[in-house]
Amino acid sequence: ITGNKVGIGRKNMKVILIDSANSGHHEIYAQSLRSNLQNKKHSVKIIAPMSVFVEGFIPVSFPSKYNHLQYFRARQLWMSKVARIIVSERPDIAHFLYGDAFYQLGGAELSTLRKKGICTVITQHHIPEGFSRRMLLRGMAKQICTIVTHTESSGSDLLKCGIDRGKIHIIDYPVFHSTGLSRATARTKLAFTDEGALILSIGGTRA
């Protein structure tokens, strides 16, 4: 599944990256994307909670979980504030790095960006189960240019949600650190045999 390749071939774009957290993999994920975009001569700003981001950083805190009513209201207010900032910045692309945190809004405020001609990209790391949740995800997808996910399986699930194939773009989950070890060398150093399956658990991840 290969959907819209937003911005391919364009130069000197203004890009805003938006995230709901700034710890662990969130930070290195955003920083790596920013570095790669800047290396391609694009202008980049990041909207996220307070963190070590300095240059081009716009601090906007993300609400904690409350009861159901507060949960949706707090996220709606967050999205409204972020949308106003994005409109004022007039970027070519606004890329939300963690759609999982707000797909429950069903695309609220994203229509504002679409009407302003701002191309919105959302990366969705987990595809929700259940009719109502998938309906909200589908509603969000209708307001944006492209929805990115990291596996073919997730891409297939997005199709099952009723999302237009042309909007789905699969990009392998990035590798931020590499030891450069071959498979054989790694098995030797970690004392793993060649027999049987090897299952690796790395904790929470965006894959």
Side-chain angles (χ1 to χ4, degrees), residues 134-206:
R134 291 196 165 190
M135 179 180 68
L136 291 169
L137 180 63
R138 184 168 62 250
M140 180 183 76
K142 287 181 179 179
Q143 302 298 333
I144 64 176
C145 295
T146 296
I147 184 165
V148 174
T149 192
H150 293 313
T151 67
E152 290 289 344
S153 175
S154 293
S156 296
D157 285 341
L158 288 174
L159 285 175
K160 293 175 184 176
C161 291
I163 295 173
D164 181 4
R165 177 184 294 268
K167 289 192 173 186
I168 302 170
H169 190 56
I170 297 173
I171 300 175
D172 289 341
Y173 190 81
V175 176
F176 302 115
H177 302 293
S178 176
T179 63
L181 295 178
S182 68
R183 180 177 179 180
T185 302
R187 279 184 173 270
T188 299
K189 290 180 72 69
L190 297 172
F192 293 139
T193 67
D194 289 330
E195 299 176 0
L198 177 62
I199 300 176
L200 175 65
S201 175
I202 58 175
T205 180
R206 290 184 167 207

Side-chain angles (χ1 to χ4, degrees), residues 54-130:
V54 180
E55 180 186 354
F57 170 65
I58 304 172
V60 178
S61 60
F62 188 78
S64 301
K65 290 185 177 180
Y66 308 105
N67 61 44
H68 287 300
L69 180 60
Q70 292 172 323
Y71 179 94
F72 287 105
R73 181 56 178 162
R75 276 158 176 71
Q76 185 179 37
L77 291 173
W78 173 84
M79 179 61 79
S80 179
K81 182 175 183 179
V82 168
R84 288 196 301 271
I85 294 172
I86 293 172
V87 169
S88 69
E89 291 286 337
R90 298 298 300 171
D92 297 294
I93 295 175
H95 185 174
F96 290 83
L97 305 182
Y98 199 56
D100 309 58
F102 59 84
Y103 76 88
Q104 301 92 337
L105 297 176
E109 301 295 338
L110 293 176
S111 60
T112 301
L113 304 183
R114 178 176 55 79
K115 292 173 182 177
K116 293 290 185 179
I118 298 170
C119 179
T120 303
V121 178
I122 292 178
T123 296
Q124 189 73 21
H125 305 274
H126 171 71
I127 314 305
E129 298 289 343

